């Protein structure tokens, strides 16, 4: 009987030991599990010209960081989803990133309507969100700190549009836009700038799915504008410009840089879009971060959204490193410690930032989109703007200011 008990105890002890050993690889795997970062960009739809290059920039940074040893001794994995420039598709993709992929952060939401729809999913799940959307209402959401944006607010953008129209000699400025989260703010701030100079404004919100806009153009022309500001996206702006050309409008045309791009220019007759001005937040051309981005992705002049998402991934990875934790909450609590630490070492890439953090140095990141200093509600503090014009089928730089 004693022999039986001894054998039984030996057997049970061996089984327990085997169970413990079998658990060790799982524990090690959990400790070394990849850090997953998601991108939610417009690979298709109105923002389709921008999303693929934005993802390319994030992947390039992650590859560089992984080659240098990863973050917290862990590999970083990218999970890329297409929001189709649609709130509904964006919400479906965000749910996958949050619930299935378990990402720590989502980067690069572009359209304001998509960001507005996705943001509640992020703060409710404690997933950090970085956005390039401009609607003022976004940072007014109760996001609890789980959101930053690198795009200037429409308050600032609207003022720049209005001031530029006045600088071109305009006194009567008409604003044309589909219904977007930033349309009212854009118009209000255009109006403020124009009226300050003694001018007048009017506006029209249109259905962006129509095949023609002759009725809307007739209403615009009754105002007798000497400048028209287009607040739409590439597909509807292209149709608007065609109908405006047919109506023989000779005044100033001003649009967002993301709508009147090379794709639009190549899709319409040259005379339709010629002399149109475009205004965009300006990347920090000439900065070390900008030069590194150009080299990483092989694109000579990255658009503003690509420079911004490049800054997103650098900031997020450094925030994880300084926190010693890859959760969304850790990113939220530490993002400003790497973006704007007083007296911190000037850093322009995650690889250099991770080295500085490992050496217990404070970090102050200056990015490819500009100095990434954020207000309490998550807006960037300042930005320069890029003014361009279509000249003979090409985009020519007018000024950066």
């Amino acid at each position: 009987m004693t022999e039986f008990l001894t054998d039984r105890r030996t057997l049970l002890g061996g089984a327990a030991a085997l169970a413990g050993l079998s658990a060790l690889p799982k524990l090690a795997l959990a400790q070394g599990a990849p850090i997953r970062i998601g991108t939610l960009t417009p690979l298709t739809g109105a923002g389709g010209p921008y999303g693929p290059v934005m993802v390319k920039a994030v992947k390039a940074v992650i590859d560089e960081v992984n080659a240098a040893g990863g973050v917290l001794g862990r590999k970083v994995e990218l999970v890329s989803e297409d929001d189709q420039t649609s709130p509904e598709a964006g919400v479906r993709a965000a749910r996958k990133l949050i619930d299935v992929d378990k990402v720590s952060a989502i980067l690069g939401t572009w359209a304001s309507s998509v960001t507005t729809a996705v943001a509640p999913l992020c703060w409710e799940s404690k997933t950090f969100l970085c956005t390039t959307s401009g609607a003022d209402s976004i940072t007014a959401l109760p996001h609890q700190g789980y959101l930053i944006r690198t795009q200037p607010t429409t308050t600032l953008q609207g003022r720049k549009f209005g001031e530029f129209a006045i600088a071109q000699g305009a006194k009567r400025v008409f604003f044309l836009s589909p219904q977007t989260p930033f349309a009212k703010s854009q118009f209000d701030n255009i109006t403020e700038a124009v009226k300050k100079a003694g001018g007048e404004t009017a506006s029209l919100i249109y259905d962006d799915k129509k095949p023609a806009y002759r009725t809307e153009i007739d209403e615009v022309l009754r105002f007798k504008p000497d400048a028209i500001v287009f607040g739409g996206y590439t597909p509807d702006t292209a149709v608007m410009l065609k109908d405006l050309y047919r109506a023989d409008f000779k005044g100033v045309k001003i649009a967002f840089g993301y709508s009147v791009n090379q794709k639009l220019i190549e899709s319409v007759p040259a005379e339709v879009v010629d002399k149109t001005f475009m205004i965009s937040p300006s990347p920090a051309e000439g900065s070390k971060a900008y030069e590194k981005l150009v080299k990483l992705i092989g694109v000579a002049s990255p658009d503003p959204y690509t420079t911004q998402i490049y800054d997103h991934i650098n900031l997020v990875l450094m925030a994880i490193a300084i926190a010693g934790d890859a959760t969304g909450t850790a990113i939220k609590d530490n993002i400003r410690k790497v973006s704007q630490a007083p007296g911190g070492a000037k850093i322009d890439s995650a690889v250099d930032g991770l080295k500085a953090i490992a050496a217990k140095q404070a970090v102050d990141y200056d990015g490819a989109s500009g100095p990434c200093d954020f207000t309490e509600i998550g807006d960037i503090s300042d930005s320069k703007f890029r003014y361009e014009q279509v000249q003979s089928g090409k985009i020519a730089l007018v000024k950066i200011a």
Side-chain angles (χ1 to χ4, degrees):
M1 182 68 172
T2 303
E3 184 180 344
F4 171 76
L5 289 173
T6 302
D7 289 346
R8 186 171 182 273
R9 288 182 188 130
T10 303
L11 180 63
L12 290 173
L18 285 171
L21 286 171
S22 66
L24 284 175
K26 293 180 182 177
L27 180 60
L29 181 62
Q31 289 175 336
I35 297 169
R36 290 196 177 96
I37 304 294
T39 55
L40 185 55
T41 59
L43 304 179
T44 57
Y50 302 102
V53 188
M54 293 169 75
V55 175
K56 184 178 182 179
V58 175
K59 185 178 185 305
V61 172
I62 288 175
D63 288 347
E64 188 178 46
V65 167
N66 283 336
V71 181
L72 305 180
R74 297 161 63 183
K75 180 182 177 182
V76 182
E77 278 188 2
L78 172 63
V79 185
S80 175
E81 292 293 336
D82 179 13
D83 67 24
Q84 302 174 37
T85 326
S86 159
E88 294 78 12
V91 166
R92 288 193 299 271
R95 287 196 182 280
K96 175 187 174 292
L97 289 170
I98 293 166
D99 298 335
V100 178
D101 301 305
K102 308 293 185 185
V103 298
S104 303
I106 293 175
L107 316 181
T109 52
W110 183 81
S112 292
S113 57
V114 171
T115 300
T116 301
V118 164
L121 305 180
C122 291
W123 77 65
E124 287 166 5
S125 64
K126 295 181 168 51
T127 304
F128 197 73
L129 177 64
C130 303
T131 180
T132 68
S133 301
D136 292 356
S137 56
I138 288 169
T139 45
L141 295 168
H143 57 77
Q144 304 161 50
Y146 284 92
L147 182 151
I148 58 167
R149 69 161 152 204
T150 42
Q151 180 79 345
T153 63
T154 48
T155 296
L156 181 57
Q157 293 188 57
R159 190 175 81 235
K160 296 290 185 179
F161 273 76
E163 290 171 351
F164 186 74
I166 292 297
Q168 302 311 304
K171 289 294 183 182
R172 297 178 65 80
V173 180
F174 202 103
F175 178 62
L176 267 168
S177 177
Q179 187 59 262
T180 68
F182 54 82
K184 184 180 185 305
S185 174
Q186 184 81 6
F187 176 63
D188 288 349
N189 286 282
I190 289 171
T191 299
E192 184 178 340
V194 170
K195 286 190 173 180
K196 186 177 179 180
E200 295 182 53
T201 63
S203 68
L204 173 66
I205 301 297
Y206 61 83
D207 176 1
D208 63 353
K209 301 298 188 294
K210 292 180 66 175
Y213 293 104
R214 191 54 197 259
T215 301
E216 287 82 355
I217 294 300
D218 286 345
E219 183 175 339
V220 173
L221 295 180
R222 280 196 289 272
F223 179 71
K224 297 183 179 178
D226 40 30
I228 297 175
V229 176
F230 299 88
Y233 296 111
T234 300
D236 46 295
T237 301
V239 178
M240 278 281 180
L241 285 169
K242 289 177 185 176
D243 285 343
L244 198 62
Y245 175 77
R246 294 187 189 105
D248 201 31
F249 177 71
K250 301 296 186 185
V252 177
K253 297 171 288 185
I254 309 171
F256 285 107
Y258 61 70
S259 64
V260 177
N261 49 31
Q262 198 60 44
K263 180 180 178 181
L264 183 149
I265 293 167
E266 293 169 359
S267 71
V268 300
E271 59 273 18
V272 167
V273 70
D274 196 45
K275 305 302 180 186
T276 300
F277 288 102
M278 296 85 75
I279 303 178
S280 307
S282 177
E285 294 185 32
S287 69
K288 289 182 179 179
Y290 185 89
E291 290 171 0
K292 285 184 177 179
L293 171 60
V294 167
K295 187 175 180 180
L296 269 179
I297 65 175
V299 175
S301 300
D303 63 78
Y305 313 105
T306 299
T307 64
Q308 289 178 48
I309 202 171
Y310 172 79
D311 293 340
H312 295 173
I313 185 62
N314 281 307
L315 287 167
V316 163
L317 295 182
M318 288 189 293
I320 290 171
I322 205 168
D325 183 5
T327 64
T329 300
I331 298 169
K332 170 183 75 77
D333 292 342
N334 290 274
I335 196 83
R336 288 170 181 79
K337 292 180 183 177
V338 295
S339 69
Q340 59 213 72
K346 288 296 183 182
I347 296 296
D348 49 56
S349 73
V351 169
D352 290 343
L354 295 174
K355 291 175 185 175
I357 291 165
K360 307 299 182 186
Q361 288 182 277
V363 170
D364 182 1
Y365 177 79
D366 283 349
S369 66
C372 293
D373 295 347
F374 299 99
T375 66
E376 187 176 344
I377 63 170
D379 288 324
I380 56 165
S381 302
D382 197 12
S383 175
K384 290 186 176 181
F385 284 79
R386 183 180 184 90
Y387 299 80
E388 298 170 306
Q389 188 181 37
V390 181
Q391 297 176 3
S392 303
K394 300 292 183 183
I395 297 174
L397 177 65
V398 176
K399 66 176 181 177
I400 296 176

